[in-house]
Amino acid sequence: MGKIIFIDVDGTLVDYENNLPDSAVEAIRKARDNGHRVYISTGRSRAEVYDDIWDIGLDGMIGGNGSYVEDHGVVVMHQLITYEQCRRIVDWLHSRKLEFYLESNNGLFASEHFEEKAESTIQEYTRRKGKNDADKMTVRKVFPEMIFGGNLYRDDLNKVSYLLSSYEDYIETKKQFPDMQNGTWGGAGETALFGDIGIKDITKANAIEHLLRYLNAEQKDTIAFGDAAIDIPMLAYCAYGVAMGNGGREIKAMADYVTDDVDKEGLYKAFVHLKLI
């Protein structure tokens, strides 16, 4: 067995407008031809991994920031938010008038007013990533298969993301759900745009450990690629960690190697540097 490669999706495999560079596709296909295994490792649930990504050719995925592990169509591990926890979360967010979406392998399910309330937040998130046409971004462009008007009490959830009207929303939600993993994204500290709620102690690193046991593979053969703070445990766990040039300062500081930006053939250049292709 060659190397086992784990690639974050947003900001690593694709840019923040969901554009997939041809060079990244070429790099992954060549690496797999050379006997290496390639998995995406993402905060996305399986329902958000669209055909253009699967069509590259992958050995599987880690989803929900570590709650789901799949190898060649076989579910290796899947830890779900319970129905009772989902009801509590949905009712709490409704009580605070916070819009949200539920992340499931069966789809993304938006709250009643998420589309209209989230548009300005989505545009700000895109603007922070340095894109000039951020004002043209819409919820449906970012989440093309999001389900509106669906059932919000569910037993198939990986995690929940919600819009922050202030950082206080995150602090109060964290107090309300000490039994859950609470985080923020879209910014650091009080600049965060979203909060999220998932299963306690779930990380991409923990998911990789499950997969390696399933494959009877060794940690020394692992390489991770990421761009954000959420990817740091994955890069720290794997034998070698690569940060994208467009990544945050924290992940670039701890990475073994910093490649170019995602839209400047960063993934391809790193694969060449590591002699994967």
Side-chain angles (χ1 to χ4, degrees):
M1 185 185 294
K3 298 298 184 183
I4 307 169
I5 303 163
F6 299 95
I7 304 173
D8 172 54
V9 174
D10 297 287
T12 303
L13 178 61
V14 304
D15 69 15
Y16 299 107
E17 295 174 345
N18 283 320
N19 297 310
L20 174 62
D22 291 339
S23 63
V25 176
E26 183 182 355
I28 291 170
R29 289 176 177 168
K30 283 183 175 180
R32 294 186 75 231
D33 287 344
N34 288 342
H36 306 297
R37 289 176 175 256
V38 181
Y39 298 82
I40 53 170
S41 183
T42 175
R44 298 188 188 197
S45 293
R46 202 184 193 287
E48 296 172 83
V49 182
Y50 306 120
D51 288 344
D52 62 332
I53 293 176
W54 284 116
D55 288 345
I56 298 169
L58 298 167
D59 291 281
M61 72 171 288
I62 289 167
N65 282 331
S67 66
Y68 177 76
V69 182
E70 177 184 319
D71 174 72
H72 292 278
V74 176
V75 178
V76 175
M77 184 267 280
H78 196 184
Q79 299 187 46
L80 293 166
I81 293 172
T82 67
Y83 181 83
E84 291 73 21
Q85 287 171 327
C86 175
R87 284 190 69 105
R88 282 176 53 220
I89 293 166
V90 168
D91 290 348
W92 165 257
L93 294 174
H94 275 147
S95 75
R96 288 189 70 88
K97 295 183 170 52
L98 298 175
E99 299 302 320
F100 57 90
Y101 63 96
L102 310 178
E103 302 181 45
S104 156
N105 283 7
N106 297 313
L108 301 183
F109 299 87
S111 63
E112 293 82 351
H113 305 290
F114 180 80
E115 184 172 13
E116 64 217 58
K117 294 287 181 67
E119 185 165 292
S120 61
T121 304
I122 291 292
Q123 289 172 354
E124 175 59 20
Y125 178 70
T126 308
R127 195 174 296 114
R128 289 181 184 183
K129 299 301 180 182
K131 299 300 180 181
N132 296 325
D133 56 352
D135 292 344
K136 296 178 182 176
M137 294 304 290
T138 66
V139 169
R140 290 184 189 248
K141 277 185 181 176
V142 175
F143 305 110
E145 296 185 21
M146 182 168 271
I147 296 164
F148 301 92
N151 178 26
L152 299 179
Y153 290 153
R154 312 188 61 83
D155 62 2
D156 60 352
L157 297 189
N158 299 319
K159 63 190 181 83
V160 179
S161 286
Y162 59 96
L163 292 172
L164 293 171
S165 61
S166 71
Y167 194 66
E168 187 68 24
D169 292 326
Y170 163 68
I171 293 170
E172 290 303 314
T173 300
K174 188 176 181 180
K175 287 180 188 174
Q176 185 72 16
F177 299 101
D179 56 324
M180 308 293 290
Q181 191 80 26
N182 289 270
T184 61
W185 57 278
E190 297 197 6
T191 69
L193 299 172
F194 288 88
D196 61 21
I197 307 170
I199 301 160
K200 198 80 169 176
D201 299 325
I202 283 293
T203 66
K204 293 180 179 183
N206 176 63
I208 291 171
E209 192 172 4
H210 275 84
L211 179 60
L212 293 180
R213 281 202 299 268
Y214 173 78
L215 296 174
N216 195 26
E218 297 185 61
Q219 189 176 355
K220 68 179 179 62
D221 294 322
T222 56
I223 302 172
F225 292 77
D227 73 302
I230 192 73
D231 300 317
I232 288 175
M234 174 173 71
L235 268 67
Y237 177 84
C238 288
Y240 197 88
V242 179
M244 304 304 289
N246 50 274
R249 282 182 300 176
E250 193 177 359
I251 193 169
K252 287 197 278 192
M254 60 77 62
D256 297 296
Y257 179 69
V258 178
T259 187
D260 214 330
D261 294 5
V262 59
D263 55 0
K264 295 178 181 175
E265 301 192 342
L267 204 67
Y268 188 94
K269 290 173 182 176
F271 273 45
V272 170
H273 174 79
L274 294 172
K275 297 181 169 58
L276 298 169
I277 57 177

